[in-house]
Every structure is written in structure tokens, then in C-alpha cells.
Amino acid sequence: MFRKVHIRLTLLCAGITAVIMIIMSLCYLYVSETGLYRNQFQSFQNDINTITTNLEQQSVISMEWLSKMEAQGNYLFYVLDGGIPFLYNQLNDTGESSARSLLLEECRKAYQSVTITDTEKQSDSSYLSSHFEFEFVSESTGSRYFGSVISMGKYASSLEIIVLSSLQPLEQQILEQRFHFILIDLAAIFLLTVFSWLFTGLLLKPIMENHRKQVQFVASASHELRTPLAVILSAAECCKSAPSEKLEGFLKTISQEGLRMSALVNDMLTLSGSDNQRFSVRPKPIELDTLLMNSYEAFDPLAQDKSIALSIILPEKALPLCSADPERISQVVSILLHNAISYTPEHGRIELSLFHKKEHFYLSVKDNGIGIADEDKKKIFDRFYRVEKSRSTKDHFGLGLSIAYEIVKAHGGNIQVADADGGGSIFTVIL
């Protein structure tokens, strides 16, 4: 299920980003290519202005000058004097250059078709020059060109010069730019897909982990509830045919297992409230030393029943008030003390201590019991997790430390476990 979701999220993230990137690339290419054509056309117009100025200053147009201008600007020139081609054009109109005359004639026809409304009327001045630039597509070659027709007149004579500039270098540049963008987009789409796969995997990881824990939680809860429920059903069945002197024992068993089930359900409801952000914490200024003393007095009789020495160490100086929920912190201390008493052998020792350092309160419960292996320390606060040595302990469901962890986390604090000197464990709550 999660693999399909992972794939779909990857395709969705990568697809949307790729579409946006492609659209932006197309927009950039459009703006860039439009700018390249515009700049090229403006450069062509500037060159025509320069050529026109040079022609106006010359009384004779030499073939050497035409050849030089063609070589410098990569242009084609076609000159007509009174409608008669220059000798320059006739000399170049041989062999492969025959296509040149055809191309220039196509340019002249294109000029005549686009300048019906654009050309200006001839004035009465003794000397007149004008030029008009346009773009056309050659039918013979299929290529695009910029063309310009320069008209010059002096008295009764007229001179017409056609200048052509091929757009093939510009189109080649544009094709290379498009090819580069295609390669960049393909590489970017590949990287986006890889990134989306990793990113959505990170997003799904806590969801998958939460789902795994939920499944494990339901399985563990079902297992824990099945045992007392089976005992209750068995005892209830025995009550039907049991003699009166044994009936009280079966009813006591039913009551005890019912209380165990009630405690387990209450613990699960507490953790459920934490998962649903309904974990009630009402902090207020409290005296932690007084709270720990009350917990010590409450658990001291239980410790004495197991021949365990329970001691408490409090600072001699008065401590500042701590902002916390007194009932919840008392619950944490009770869970830690209850676990310590349960897993500490007879004639053992448990030490409850408190000290303050740099605006932090350190509350610890230290015992010399069975201890916790290093591989278990990482899982000790997981729900329904119990160390193998203590699985036979009937009064523990593996939820106490999980509840303590959630309470401390809701206070913005931290809870840690470490090995105690001389054996056993030490749990430290930092607020």
C-alpha cells in the first residue's frame, strides 16, 4: 500500500514540478528567441544605415567595395542602375552563383509585395536615398532572410541596391539553444524524480512508522486483553457449577482480572489522548521537592514490604518554583518508583533525588535491580515493550514508561535511562 502511495506521490511531485519547469523554459525560449530576432534585425538595420551613408558619400560604386562589404557582413548585394544589373552581378551569375540571382529576384518580389503601403512618396529634392528592411522566406531554398532595398536617386538617374542577410546562423544558434534546454530539462526531470522519491520517502517514513506502531499497538493490546478476559470467562463458567465455598475465590479472580483490564484500558486511553493532541497538561508553579517527598512517603511502605531501602536526596537550599502539572509529574514519579520496586530484588536499594542546575530540574530514580541491556534502552519507552526478564511480571503491560515519556514530552522536557554505578538503572527526568 505504502509503495503505491510512494510511487504516486513521486510522480505527482515530479510531474507538477516538471510541467512548471517546462512551461517556464518555453516562456524563456520564446522571450529569448524573440529578443535574438529583434536584436539581429536591429543590427541589420544599423548596417544598412551605414551602407547607405557610405553610398551617399561615393560618386563611384566599385566592385572591390561591394566584395569587401559582402565579406565583412556576410551579405549578398544586387545592384541595379536604372533597372539594369551591374556588371558585378553579371560576373557573379555563373555556375553555383546562379542561385544567387534567383534569391535576389525573390527578395525584390517580396519587397514589392510588402511595400505597397509602406513606401514613401518620392520628394522633389535633387538627391534622395531611402531604404526599407523586411523579412521573407525563399521559395527556392526554404530559408529565411532579412532583406533591404536601398533606393538612391540623383536628378534623372536612379540606383537600386538589394541587400540580403541569411538567418541560418541565427536559426542554428536557436536550435542549439533549444537542444541545450532539452538536455537540461531532461536532466532536471531525472533529478527531480530522484529528489521527489527521496523527499516523499522521508514524508512517508513517519506515517509508515506510525502505522507500524498502530498495528503493533493493536496486536499487543489484543494480546494483553485476551489473557485477563480468558481468565474472567473461565472463572465465570466455573461459577455456574462451583460449590459455595469456592465461589468467593472465583469472584475474587474475576474482580482482580477486571481491575487489570480497567488499568490497561485507562493506560491506552491516556496514550490515545496523547496521539490525538488531547493530552491534558495544566502547568502551574509547583515545589518539586515537596512533590517528591509526597511520592516518597506514598511508596515507602510498599518498598518496606519487599525489604527494599527507599531513600530520598533533596537540595539543602530552597529551589525555585517549577512550571509543571503536579498531577502529571506525580504520575511520572509513581511510574518510575513502581517499576524500580518491581524490578529490584529484596534487600535492594532505591534512591530518589532532585537537584537544580542552570534553569533545569533533574529528577532521578536510581536502583540496583536487574538493569537494562543497551539494546533495550533504545526501545524501553516504546508501547508494550518489556525487557525479556520482566515479561512474566503480571502487573506490568509495558505502557508505564510510554506514558511517562509522553507526559515529560508534553512538558517540553526529556527523560533518559542509563546504567547505575554498581548495577541497576537510573532514570532521569529533565524539566
Side-chain angles (χ1 to χ4, degrees):
M1 178 185 71
F2 282 105
R3 184 171 181 83
K4 290 183 179 179
V5 173
H6 192 185
I7 293 174
R8 290 177 181 177
L9 283 177
T10 299
L11 294 177
L12 179 64
C13 293
I16 292 176
T17 310
V19 169
I20 294 174
M21 184 184 64
I22 291 173
I23 292 175
M24 296 302 294
S25 297
L26 292 175
C27 292
Y28 173 81
L29 286 175
Y30 173 78
V31 173
S32 176
E33 292 175 10
T34 302
L36 287 174
Y37 276 112
R38 183 172 58 250
N39 293 337
Q40 186 78 1
F41 189 69
Q42 290 177 352
S43 177
F44 179 70
Q45 287 180 319
N46 293 333
D47 289 346
I48 296 301
N49 286 329
T50 303
I51 292 172
T52 303
T53 302
N54 289 336
L55 288 172
E56 290 176 347
Q57 296 174 355
Q58 297 181 49
S59 57
V60 176
I61 301 177
S62 65
M63 289 189 291
E64 182 182 357
W65 182 85
L66 290 173
S67 299
K68 184 179 179 182
M69 294 302 297
E70 283 189 344
Q72 287 181 350
N74 196 21
Y75 296 138
L76 294 179
F77 281 79
Y78 194 83
V79 185
L80 297 172
D81 186 4
I84 301 174
F86 258 32
L87 180 61
Y88 176 80
N89 302 112
Q90 296 175 0
L91 292 175
N92 288 329
D93 195 12
T94 59
E96 295 180 358
S97 299
S98 59
R100 167 187 173 120
S101 298
L102 178 60
L103 180 62
L104 292 168
E105 286 297 330
E106 290 177 344
C107 176
R108 194 177 183 190
K109 291 179 181 179
Y111 167 73
Q112 292 174 351
S113 64
V114 299
T115 57
I116 296 175
T117 58
D118 295 319
T119 54
E120 298 179 353
K121 294 181 179 180
Q122 300 291 329
S123 63
D124 296 332
S125 59
S126 62
Y127 193 87
L128 176 66
S129 64
S130 64
H131 57 88
F132 180 77
E133 288 74 46
F134 55 93
E135 181 182 342
F136 78 100
V137 179
S138 172
E139 296 179 359
S140 60
T141 63
S143 302
R144 298 169 63 188
Y145 293 87
F146 285 146
S148 177
V149 176
I150 305 173
S151 299
M152 303 184 68
K154 187 172 184 181
Y155 305 107
S157 64
S158 63
L159 188 68
E160 188 175 68
I161 303 172
I162 300 174
V163 184
L164 280 181
S165 175
S166 176
L167 293 181
Q168 188 173 359
L170 178 62
E171 291 174 344
Q172 182 65 28
Q173 179 184 353
I174 290 175
L175 285 176
E176 291 178 358
Q177 180 176 263
R178 291 179 180 177
F179 179 72
H180 291 156
F181 262 83
I182 290 174
L183 291 180
I184 292 172
D185 286 347
L186 289 176
I189 290 173
F190 173 76
L191 294 176
L192 280 172
T193 304
V194 174
F195 173 77
S196 299
W197 176 264
L198 298 176
F199 181 70
T200 52
L202 291 176
L203 289 179
L204 287 174
K205 188 175 181 179
I207 300 176
M208 295 169 63
E209 180 67 17
N210 186 54
H211 179 264
R212 185 189 66 79
K213 289 183 177 180
Q214 285 183 353
V215 173
Q216 183 181 1
F217 182 84
V218 172
S220 300
S222 301
H223 174 75
E224 296 291 348
L225 289 171
R226 186 184 297 116
T227 302
L229 185 59
V231 174
I232 290 174
L233 293 176
S234 177
E237 188 67 24
C238 292
C239 287
K240 296 180 180 179
S241 57
S244 57
E245 62 272 11
K246 294 185 178 180
L247 186 62
E248 183 178 354
F250 288 126
L251 292 176
K252 184 178 180 181
T253 299
I254 292 174
S255 177
Q256 290 176 345
E257 295 300 322
L259 290 175
R260 289 188 66 236
M261 289 183 64
S262 177
L264 176 59
V265 170
N266 287 334
D267 288 346
M268 289 192 295
L269 289 175
T270 300
L271 292 173
S272 175
S274 173
D275 293 337
N276 297 327
Q277 306 298 323
R278 297 197 306 266
F279 201 78
S280 58
V281 174
R282 299 178 180 86
K284 63 180 181 180
I286 61 172
E287 296 177 349
L288 282 182
D289 50 358
T290 302
L291 185 147
L292 258 65
M293 181 60 70
N294 293 335
S295 298
Y296 165 77
E297 293 174 353
F299 278 86
D300 187 50
L302 182 61
Q304 291 180 6
D305 291 341
K306 290 193 63 176
S307 300
I308 295 175
L310 177 62
S311 61
I312 183 170
I313 301 176
L314 298 175
E316 296 181 359
K317 297 181 180 179
L319 294 176
L321 297 178
C322 176
S323 179
D325 188 325
E327 295 183 2
R328 292 296 187 184
I329 299 301
S330 294
Q331 187 178 0
V332 172
V333 177
S334 298
I335 291 172
L336 297 179
L337 286 175
H338 191 267
N339 281 352
I341 292 173
S342 299
Y343 302 135
T344 299
E346 291 185 1
H347 308 294
R349 300 183 308 278
I350 298 176
E351 181 181 280
L352 178 63
S353 62
L354 172 69
F355 70 93
H356 178 263
K357 182 180 179 181
K358 294 182 179 180
E359 299 182 356
H360 287 86
F361 295 91
Y362 295 84
L363 185 159
S364 62
V365 176
K366 177 182 177 182
D367 64 67
N368 63 344
I370 60 177
I372 302 173
D374 291 337
E375 60 269 18
D376 294 322
K377 289 186 177 69
K378 300 177 181 179
K379 305 176 182 179
I380 198 69
F381 297 107
D382 292 347
R383 299 173 187 184
F384 288 108
Y385 183 82
R386 290 179 292 185
V387 181
E388 290 294 334
K389 297 177 183 178
S390 62
R391 284 200 179 275
S392 60
T393 305
K394 192 174 181 181
D395 294 335
H396 290 267
F397 302 103
L399 294 179
L401 290 177
S402 299
I403 295 174
Y405 174 80
E406 296 294 340
I407 292 174
V408 174
K409 186 175 72 172
H411 280 79
N414 188 20
I415 183 170
Q416 303 171 350
V417 60
D419 295 330
D421 296 336
S425 303
I426 176 169
F427 285 84
T428 303
V429 176
I430 304 173
L431 298 174

